[in-house]
Structure formats: structure tokens, C-alpha cells
């Protein structure tokens, strides 16, 4: 079911957005060569506890997950691009790391993701992150009242295809509110002027993710981590965005 939020409810969602942004900022800053993924998860967990927030991940067990997630942040490294389950792995120089985090504050959820390079970057990884960042910005710019979901999808795809990437539509953006994942689905490829009309009060996560040389993914042995089918690296960017009378409002903006 698609729910529209009042302006007052969107204001009530803002603290969750700021908190999610702060956790991503802190974990990204802590992600240095030699730092363990479990250390990043503990940092996020500590911030959740100190803020009196609630994790959206630790007990999360959708149909595509092998078991409850059991951790509080997704850490996807190199050829992993989505749902990376934190494990005993020390980051290495040149790793491409995607962090995806969602939490509930006062009963309202926000969801956001970013990709960074740890240590010495590869030019192709920086280019992939740049494309994904610009695709997110294009999707947000298209999230205007009176437009349709397809306009967001087409804007994301125009950037991705324009830079030579193929696009997977199995996983994409989604509604956000009292829970982490809801309707509508927001694909990362589509046709303009198609799909659900964007009305003020709709709150969605917009999240482009691209892989260097494929659009096919496989599930890791941990039952969660999604990797590229050909071993190429991936990048992932995401913001929670409210559609308002004045245009899109990014609730998870990082400053």
C-alpha cells in the first residue's frame, strides 16, 4: 500500500534522516586500510544505542535473505554491491566499499547508502562512483510533483547508459515510512511519463547501483551479499527523498 505523508509527518521523519546521514558519515570516515568490517558494524551499533534509535536490519528477514541479517549496516566490498553482510575482513588498499544503512527514530525510518574507495583509488572505480552519484542526483531532480516514477527511473538510466553501464532492475528504490521497504518500487531503468504519479507526501528511497561490466548478480554463500556475476566491481548511492509541493526534499543529506 502506498501512503502519503502530511507536511507535519515529513518533519517528524527528518530526525531519522539526519541520524542515518550521521552514521554513514562516521562509518565512511572510519573505513581505513586495516579496519575490519565488524568494527564498522560495531560503530554503527554504538551510534544506534546512544541515539535511542532502532536498527532496521538486525532482525530483517525478507524472502530473499537466507536468515535474519544479524548486523546493523551493509558493507559491500569490491565485486559485492548490495546487502553485504559484515564479516571478519580487514579493508585493503584500493578496496571499493559501499555502505548502506537504515534506522528508525521515533517510529520513522530513513535509508541511505554511499560508496567510497579505501586508500589508493583506481580511476575506473572513481568513474563508477561518479556515474552513480550523478545518477542519484538526476533521479532526485526528476522527483517533482506531477512527474511519474518512470521519470525518476529514466533519469537514472540516462546517466548510467550514457556512461556505458548496463542496469539491473531486480533491486532498486522503494517507499520508506514506518518500515524500511514499502511501495512503490523505483527501478533504476524505465520510460519517462510512465508509472505512479508523484504526489506531495510520497517518501521514497532513490538508489542507483551499477557494476563495471555486467548487470547480472549472484548471491554469496552467506545468503545475503549480492555480487557481480563476472567479478567486476560495483557502486551504490541512495537517499531518502520526500516529494513536496516545492519539489524533492532529501531527508538523508550529508553535510
Amino acid at each position: 500500500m502506498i501512503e502519503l505523508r502530511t507536511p507535519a509527518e515529513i518533519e517528524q521523519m527528518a530526525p531519522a534522516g539526519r541520524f542515518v546521514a550521521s552514521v554513514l558519515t562516521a562509518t565512511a570516515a572510519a573505513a581505513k586500510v586495516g579496519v575490519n568490517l565488524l568494527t564498522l558494524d560495531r560503530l554503527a551499533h554504538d551510534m544506534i544505542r546512544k541515539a535511542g534509535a532502532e536498527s532496521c536490519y538486525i532482525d530483517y528477514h525478507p524472502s530473499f535473505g537466507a536468515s535474519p541479517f544479524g548486523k546493523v549496516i551493509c558493507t559491500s566490498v569490491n565485486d559485492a554491491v548490495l546487502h553485504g553482510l559484515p564479516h571478519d575482513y580487514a579493508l585493503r588498499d584500493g578496496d571499493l566499499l559501499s555502505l548502506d544503512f537504515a534506522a528508525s527514530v521515533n517510529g520513522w525510518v530513513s535509508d541511505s547508502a554511499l560508496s567510497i574507495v579505501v586508500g589508493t583509488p583506481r580511476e575506473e572505480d572513481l568513474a563508477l562512483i561518479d556515474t552513480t552519484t550523478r545518477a542519484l542526483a538526476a533521479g532526485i531532480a526528476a522527483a517533482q510533483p506531477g512527474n511519474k516514477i518512470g521519470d525518476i527511473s529514466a533519469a537514472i538510466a540516462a546517466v548510467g547508459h550514457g556512461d556505458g553501464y548496463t542496469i539491473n532492475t531486480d533491486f532498486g528504490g522503494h517507499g520508506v515510512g514506518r518500515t524500511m521497504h514499502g511501495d512503490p518500487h523505483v527501478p533504476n531503468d524505465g520510460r519517462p511519463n510512465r508509472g505512479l504519479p508523484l504526489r506531495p507526501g510520497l517518501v521514497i528511497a532513490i538508489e542507483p547501483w551499477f557494476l563495471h561490466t555486467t548487470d547480472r548478480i549472484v548471491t554469496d554463500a552467506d545468503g545475503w551479499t549480492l555480487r557481480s556475476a563476472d567479478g567486476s566491481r560495483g557502486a551504490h548511492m541512495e537517499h531518502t527523498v520526500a516529494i513536496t509541493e516545492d519539489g524533492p526534499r532529501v531527508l538523508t543529506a550529508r553535510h
Side-chain angles (χ1 to χ4, degrees), residues 76-167:
S76 303
V77 181
N78 296 333
D79 63 323
V81 67
L82 297 175
H83 308 162
L85 185 65
H87 59 285
D88 185 12
Y89 175 83
L91 290 165
R92 301 171 183 172
D93 188 46
D95 277 347
L96 175 50
L97 171 66
S98 296
L99 298 165
D100 188 357
F101 180 72
S104 174
V105 176
N106 298 324
W108 294 104
V109 171
S110 274
D111 189 4
S112 187
L114 59 80
S115 292
I116 61 171
V117 176
V118 178
T120 309
R122 301 180 183 182
E123 288 301 321
E124 60 268 28
D125 289 344
L126 295 179
L128 180 61
I129 291 172
D130 177 68
T131 298
T132 313
T133 301
R134 288 187 288 107
L136 175 57
I140 293 170
Q144 303 287 344
N147 279 357
K148 295 184 177 179
I149 288 288
D151 294 307
I152 298 174
S153 302
I156 291 170
V159 175
H161 288 313
D163 285 357
Y165 299 107
T166 56
I167 298 174

Side-chain angles (χ1 to χ4, degrees), residues 215-237:
D215 57 11
R216 294 182 55 244
I217 51 177
V218 295
T219 304
D220 204 1
D222 63 19
W224 273 101
T225 304
L226 297 179
R227 299 185 181 275
S228 66
D230 65 357
S232 62
R233 295 183 174 204
H236 178 203
M237 296 288 183

Side-chain angles (χ1 to χ4, degrees), residues 199-225:
R199 296 170 56 192
L202 181 66
V203 182
I204 53 176
I206 299 174
E207 55 176 314
W209 59 276
F210 304 133
L211 298 163
H212 271 305
T213 56
T214 185
D215 57 11
R216 294 182 55 244
I217 51 177
V218 295
T219 304
D220 204 1
D222 63 19
W224 273 101
T225 304

